[in-house]
Amino acid sequence: MKYCHVWSLLFMTLCFPFSASAFEEVTDLNQVVVTASRIEETKADQTTNVTVIGEEQIKESSAQDLADLLGAQGFKIREYPNSLMAVQIRGFATDTHGQVANSYVTLLLNGRRVNTGNLASIMMDNVERVEIIRGPGSVQYGSAALGGVVNVITKKGAKPSAFVEQTLGSWDYLKTTAGVSGKVNQFDYSLSASTSSQSSYDTGDDKHYDNTGFDAKDRFSTNLGWNFLPGQRIGLVYSWFNAEGIGSPNYLSAVDPDDSVNLKNRQVDVVYDGKTANDFLFWNLRYFDGKDEYETVDNGTVDYFRDTRQKGGNAQITAKWDLLSLTTGVDWIRYEISNSNMKSGKENSYDNPALFVLTKTKLLNDKLILSAGGRYDKFDIESDTGASTDSTNWSSTLGAAFKVSDMVTLRTNYAEGFKMPTPDQLFMLTNYSAYGWGIWSGNPDLDPEESATYEAGIDFVTGTFSASMTYFYTDFENKIGYEAVSQDLTRYQNIGAATLSGLEGSVQFDIGALAGWNNELIPYLSFTYLDKYEDDDSGDKLTYTSALSASYGLRFNNPNKGLSACLNFAYTGEQDITDYEKTGATKLKSFTVTDLSVTKTLDSFAEYGDLSLTADIHNLFNKNYAYNQGYFMPGRTFFVTLAYHY
């Protein structure tokens, strides 16, 4: 009975009497996506479950960052106040401390891997859409994509536009954002910048949580392009993020008032996209470089830092025939990681060249789609001590989709995922004897963590109604953990296997369109339910994993009145935890957080743009909740944004 409210809503919606005459023509299946196959295709041609969050949906949400946006889509979030944010897909997550090589979900920016696993470093002010592969993406993108892939795609300039936004909020929140985009002859441009600050906040039970604010978060993003000849574009994409004085308070029960965190992230890409005049060949060349910096500060002095330097390149080419498309190419990425525990000038390095091939065949008048792919990765990993190892990995995927009708698609997919051991897991040797922990050691004989996922699903989409249901089953092997080898020695080991399986689904329909109204009124639901998530040897449930995470709510839009609103409920289920706070707790309780956003156009200046006012309330019912034990999130929080859009 625990999840009856979610299952009842899903059942009632799926049992809505389907009648072709009641719906408009199909539109959603024609959404263009790129993440699952590395080329532009429609959702209808995908054999795996892909979620797309479009620009309008991003605007209508009350999300202040990428974690908010994904949480509103039913994905499970883990967050430390303002600084570290992780997302979980099918029981696998990005690293909670932002270490890119130690993540199980891969973050992409415009189709290539970023240099962090921390969602807080990803800018949302210049975003066109976000695409999510649910399930392994290792064939497309390599290591650390066992649970899924999140691809943030920035805007390209087209029609001239500009915007300025000013936001005021609770806890002295202040944010200023501005941006412009457009196209002049052969040159297109899109850029935005923002700066924000916030004081410490109160929790849902009205306790002041000291040292939870931040001095500044500054962001800049640009996507510039030069278009020459038909179908040829050279682009420059640059993003920059700098956050200073982010409070690092420790648990609410033991606040440390003088600890803080500083974050910096920069990324630059040079990209060449081209195609032949007859649209037979498409190619993409890219070089990228970037650096992610993380440092902790105690009473004004930096006591720990971690720098991750990333560089690499991609080259791929696609050939399209009437019945077949073939994409092949090479990826190369290198990480150079240094931290305060290493000798000055020394670093861990992680070098990864790869070859991949992806193919798709359309048969039976394009009703049957068959996909297959393979990837060969080579790794050369070296520690700051000079110790090194090399390894290779092969990943494969195979899928099929059958379009029963213009509205119904059946799909099935098999995909393999893997994660290489990190340099620390392979080579670390640290003496914690002064703290009573003994010696912690790496293990150069570690095998990569591996997964095999089977899924089957159904999509039903029209212009006013969409529903999707997917069942998945994952075998996870060679899990890396640490265990005591002796009284004084703890070593990283491949400690076992786990099984994860469950259902994920989404449904929404437009009551306004069905009733013939001039406005949209859209109830929606998105969820992931794990019926099994346990260690194969012990039978214990996996920690920090919820059986159910879901979002549901109502969206409203009346273009004639310039009024839109969204009421969203985000549910996170109970989860087993490790009691680092030493309170005796073994579980983190379930909770639902309610957000409300309302936008009203104040004035329209015809061809000169619009002036609008948005009011957001986060945690509407003042829920006292925490994504991590002891780190309670803000209570009821108000935001007001005055925006001019041209």
Side-chain angles (χ1 to χ4, degrees):
M1 298 295 293
K2 185 176 180 181
Y3 308 122
C4 280
H5 60 297
V6 175
W7 295 114
S8 296
L9 177 57
L10 181 66
F11 177 78
M12 288 186 295
T13 309
L14 290 176
C15 290
F16 192 89
F18 297 147
S19 169
S21 62
F23 303 112
E24 299 173 358
E25 63 178 310
V26 176
T27 56
D28 288 347
L29 279 176
N30 293 322
Q31 282 182 301
V32 173
V33 296
V34 298
T35 308
S37 53
R38 296 184 56 140
I39 60 172
E40 288 192 353
E41 293 184 317
T42 64
K43 280 192 68 176
D45 289 340
Q46 306 307 309
T47 62
T48 189
N49 191 8
V50 179
T51 297
V52 181
I53 310 173
E55 185 176 357
E56 288 303 315
Q57 197 170 348
I58 294 173
K59 287 181 180 178
E60 290 174 1
S61 75
S62 58
Q64 299 295 313
D65 50 51
L66 182 56
D68 282 347
L69 183 68
L70 295 177
Q73 297 296 312
F75 294 99
K76 184 181 178 299
I77 300 298
R78 288 188 70 188
E79 179 178 347
Y80 293 92
N82 288 314
S83 59
L84 295 171
M85 303 175 186
V87 61
Q88 186 180 95
I89 304 176
R90 294 185 178 178
F92 296 93
T94 52
D95 180 70
T96 51
H97 295 286
Q99 300 180 83
V100 61
N102 203 35
S103 290
Y104 296 85
V105 170
T106 293
L107 300 181
L108 306 177
L109 181 66
N110 296 316
R112 64 93 170 164
R113 185 189 301 267
V114 297
N115 52 20
T116 180
N118 184 7
L119 275 65
S121 299
I122 307 300
M123 184 173 185
M124 293 301 296
D125 297 326
N126 195 38
V127 173
E128 176 184 298
R129 67 185 186 274
V130 178
E131 298 177 2
I132 304 104
I133 296 179
R134 298 174 182 256
S138 291
V139 169
Q140 297 92 330
Y141 300 105
S143 176
L146 288 85
V149 176
V150 178
N151 189 8
V152 178
I153 300 171
T154 59
K155 299 176 185 176
K156 293 180 181 178
K159 184 175 70 174
S161 64
F163 70 92
V164 179
E165 298 179 353
Q166 182 66 60
T167 302
L168 303 175
S170 302
W171 333 121
D172 302 318
Y173 183 83
L174 177 65
K175 181 179 181 181
T176 303
T177 310
V180 296
S181 65
K183 189 172 184 179
V184 178
N185 297 324
Q186 296 171 295
F187 178 71
D188 63 76
Y189 59 92
S190 179
L191 59 90
S192 67
S194 69
T195 183
S196 60
S197 60
Q198 178 190 295
S199 300
S200 298
Y201 57 74
D202 294 345
T203 65
D205 60 356
D206 299 321
K207 292 181 180 178
H208 185 67
Y209 197 173
D210 195 21
N211 198 26
T212 53
F214 55 91
D215 294 339
K217 290 184 180 181
D218 300 323
R219 308 172 190 265
F220 176 78
S221 173
T222 185
N223 190 336
L224 309 176
W226 176 51
N227 302 272
F228 64 100
L229 303 177
Q232 314 298 311
R233 182 181 187 269
I234 294 177
L236 174 67
V237 181
Y238 178 78
S239 65
W240 175 79
F241 170 67
N242 183 61
E244 297 180 347
I246 304 173
S248 182
N250 205 340
Y251 307 113
L252 178 60
S253 61
V255 171
D256 190 330
D258 58 19
D259 282 5
S260 62
V261 172
N262 297 326
L263 303 173
K264 292 182 180 179
N265 186 283
R266 65 164 180 83
Q267 303 182 69
V268 61
D269 294 57
V270 179
V271 186
Y272 169 40
D273 291 298
K275 63 179 182 178
T276 57
N278 61 357
D279 289 345
F280 172 61
L281 293 177
F282 299 79
W283 55 85
N284 170 270
L285 302 174
R286 180 199 307 264
Y287 176 79
F288 55 89
D289 196 339
K291 189 176 183 180
D292 183 74
E293 301 177 44
Y294 170 84
E295 63 182 22
T296 62
V297 180
D298 184 6
N299 199 25
T301 302
V302 175
D303 61 354
Y304 177 79
F305 76 87
R306 182 187 69 243
D307 293 344
T308 303
R309 172 74 185 275
Q310 176 202 52
K311 58 183 176 180
N314 313 122
Q316 72 179 54
I317 187 167
T318 299
K320 285 189 174 182
W321 293 270
D322 291 339
L323 300 178
L324 175 71
S325 67
L326 178 68
T327 300
T328 186
V330 297
D331 290 339
W332 169 65
I333 193 165
R334 178 179 173 84
Y335 296 112
E336 297 169 352
I337 305 166
S338 59
N339 62 50
S340 53
N341 295 326
M342 299 177 185
K343 294 181 180 179
S344 179
K346 300 295 183 179
E347 62 191 15
N348 292 333
S349 65
Y350 180 106
D351 204 73
N352 174 205
L355 302 171
F356 66 89
V357 60
L358 300 164
T359 183
K360 191 162 288 186
T361 303
K362 296 183 178 182
L363 305 171
L364 304 178
N365 294 322
D366 293 347
K367 288 185 176 295
L368 178 62
I369 298 170
L370 304 176
S371 66
R375 181 185 180 97
Y376 175 81
D377 283 271
K378 187 177 186 302
F379 295 88
D380 293 299
I381 302 174
E382 184 174 350
S383 79
D384 61 310
T385 64
S388 63
T389 188
D390 58 76
S391 180
T392 61
N393 189 85
W394 172 263
S395 304
S396 59
T397 184
L398 184 67
F402 182 69
K403 301 176 184 178
V404 179
S405 69
D406 288 341
M407 296 187 294
V408 179
T409 300
L410 304 176
R411 43 182 175 74
T412 184
N413 201 78
Y414 167 80
E416 296 173 344
F418 75 101
K419 186 181 84 66
M420 285 299 298
T422 68
D424 280 349
Q425 292 169 340
L426 290 166
F427 304 118
M428 179 183 75
L429 185 65
T430 305
N431 191 343
Y432 288 118
S433 298
Y435 304 96
W437 299 342
I439 296 174
W440 284 47
S441 171
N443 182 353
D445 296 323
L446 289 174
D447 293 322
E449 296 176 279
E450 298 177 338
S451 71
T453 297
Y454 308 82
E455 69 177 74
I458 180 172
D459 300 320
F460 182 96
V461 182
T462 75
T464 58
F465 181 96
S466 66
S468 176
M469 182 78 78
T470 302
Y471 172 79
F472 58 89
Y473 180 93
T474 299
D475 280 324
F476 177 40
E477 298 180 347
N478 297 331
K479 179 181 178 182
I480 296 176
Y482 44 82
E483 59 184 16
V485 177
S486 65
Q487 183 177 355
D488 298 320
L489 178 63
T490 298
R491 175 180 293 160
Y492 282 101
Q493 304 273 26
N494 291 110
I495 60 175
T499 300
L500 301 99
S501 63
L503 285 170
E504 57 196 10
S506 63
V507 62
Q508 68 176 25
F509 61 95
D510 188 352
I511 297 174
L514 293 174
W517 301 340
N518 292 324
N519 53 265
E520 297 175 337
L521 184 62
I522 303 174
Y524 61 89
L525 165 69
S526 179
F527 72 91
T528 299
Y529 172 68
L530 297 174
D531 60 11
K532 191 172 185 179
Y533 54 105
E534 63 185 37
D535 184 276
D536 288 348
D537 294 329
S538 67
D540 295 336
K541 291 182 178 179
L542 302 179
T543 56
Y544 306 103
T545 304
S546 300
L548 176 66
S549 57
S551 69
Y552 52 97
L554 194 65
R555 293 198 298 270
F556 172 82
N557 183 38
N558 187 328
N560 295 331
K561 300 292 185 180
L563 179 65
S564 63
C566 181
L567 177 66
N568 186 80
F569 302 86
Y571 173 84
T572 300
E574 182 181 81
Q575 52 193 299
D576 291 349
I577 61 171
T578 302
D579 183 23
Y580 294 114
E581 195 179 3
K582 301 186 184 303
T583 65
T586 60
K587 296 181 182 295
L588 201 60
K589 294 181 179 179
S590 63
F591 56 85
T592 299
V593 180
T594 306
D595 297 334
L596 174 64
S597 179
V598 180
T599 299
K600 179 69 173 72
T601 299
L602 301 178
D603 205 347
S604 179
F605 309 109
E607 68 269 24
Y608 298 107
D610 300 318
L611 184 67
S612 64
L613 185 69
T614 299
D616 294 324
I617 308 176
H618 285 203
N619 196 4
L620 178 64
F621 299 117
N622 207 32
K623 183 73 175 178
N624 192 40
Y625 70 102
Y627 291 111
N628 291 284
Q629 183 192 25
Y631 291 89
F632 290 91
M633 302 309 293
R636 185 183 297 113
T637 304
F638 299 90
F639 298 97
V640 177
T641 302
L642 184 65
Y644 170 74
H645 285 256
Y646 166 73

XYZ file of all heavy atoms in Angstrom, residues 22 77 185 266 400 402 440 449 576:
79
model
N -9.724 11.672 -30.613
C -9.651 12.572 -29.461
C -8.330 13.317 -29.392
O -8.167 14.201 -28.573
C -9.845 11.777 -28.167
N 18.148 12.690 -6.159
C 19.226 13.660 -5.999
C 19.898 13.468 -4.645
O 19.238 13.139 -3.657
C 18.681 15.099 -6.114
C 18.026 15.321 -7.476
C 19.786 16.125 -5.878
C 18.947 15.169 -8.660
N 24.814 37.407 -40.832
C 25.393 36.798 -42.021
C 25.774 35.339 -41.731
O 24.925 34.533 -41.408
C 26.583 37.622 -42.508
C 26.167 39.023 -42.919
O 25.082 39.217 -43.477
N 27.004 40.011 -42.644
N 36.267 25.417 -15.821
C 36.263 26.039 -17.140
C 36.386 24.949 -18.191
O 37.067 23.931 -17.984
C 37.395 27.052 -17.310
C 38.776 26.443 -17.276
C 39.831 27.397 -17.822
N 41.157 26.817 -17.792
C 41.639 26.004 -18.725
N 40.887 25.671 -19.763
N 42.863 25.504 -18.627
N 16.165 -3.106 -30.491
C 15.147 -3.134 -31.539
C 13.962 -2.299 -31.105
O 13.635 -2.221 -29.919
C 14.695 -4.570 -31.832
N 9.846 -1.386 -32.605
C 8.822 -1.676 -33.606
C 7.676 -0.681 -33.441
O 7.082 -0.571 -32.367
C 8.292 -3.101 -33.446
C 7.269 -3.468 -34.488
C 7.633 -3.627 -35.818
C 5.931 -3.629 -34.144
C 6.696 -3.946 -36.791
C 4.985 -3.953 -35.106
C 5.363 -4.115 -36.433
N 45.560 2.631 4.520
C 44.628 2.375 3.414
C 45.446 2.232 2.143
O 46.285 3.075 1.836
C 43.623 3.528 3.276
C 42.552 3.491 4.317
C 42.713 3.301 5.656
C 41.147 3.642 4.105
N 41.507 3.328 6.305
C 40.519 3.537 5.372
C 40.359 3.850 2.991
C 39.152 3.633 5.542
C 38.992 3.962 3.154
C 38.397 3.848 4.413
N 34.725 -2.411 -12.923
C 33.341 -2.713 -12.571
C 32.540 -2.836 -13.868
O 32.754 -2.064 -14.806
C 32.770 -1.617 -11.675
C 33.480 -1.521 -10.333
C 32.987 -0.381 -9.482
O 33.443 0.755 -9.727
O 32.162 -0.604 -8.586
N 18.505 3.145 2.967
C 19.480 2.724 3.964
C 20.721 3.590 3.838
O 21.123 3.972 2.727
C 19.855 1.253 3.754
C 18.712 0.310 4.083
O 17.708 0.773 4.669
O 18.812 -0.886 3.744
